[in-house]
Amino acid sequence: MGWLWAIIVGFVLGLIAKAIIPGKQHSPLWLTTIFGMLGAIAGNAIARGFGVDATSGIDWTRHAFQLVAAIVIVFLGDMAYMAVRGNKQRA
């Protein structure tokens, strides 16, 4: 069940990150989901570093760290995807 939640959270975070980033992102949906999952993992690690990984109630701060990390990873990942995809189209 943990993997299913990771995929769902990654999908939602990836879509929110794509909506926040200005301009068009060209990465496919499956890659956006993976980027969102990586953002959730990175956000959890950052939250743990700040000591807000386990609080009572809803962890809004942890979710904010996850979203910011997902935005950065989706942005950089899409740039890398376009760089690789662009190089393949030129060949």
Side-chain angles (χ1 to χ4, degrees):
M1 197 66 179
W3 282 104
L4 179 62
W5 276 114
I7 292 169
I8 292 169
V9 168
F11 178 74
V12 170
L13 279 175
L15 288 180
I16 293 172
K18 264 188 149 179
I20 291 174
I21 297 170
K24 182 175 181 182
Q25 291 78 42
H26 302 282
S27 57
L29 191 57
W30 65 268
L31 194 55
T32 302
T33 302
I34 292 173
F35 292 154
M37 291 169 66
L38 292 173
I41 293 169
N44 283 339
I46 294 168
R48 193 174 312 117
F50 279 97
V52 292
D53 60 334
T55 60
S56 61
I58 299 175
D59 295 332
W60 293 111
T61 307
R62 180 173 54 99
H63 296 316
F65 281 125
Q66 289 175 338
L67 182 59
V68 169
I71 291 169
V72 170
I73 291 173
V74 167
F75 179 75
L76 295 175
D78 187 65
M79 285 178 31
Y81 175 77
M82 287 307 295
V84 169
R85 185 174 155 213
N87 288 339
K88 285 185 180 178
Q89 286 182 349
R90 289 185 210 141

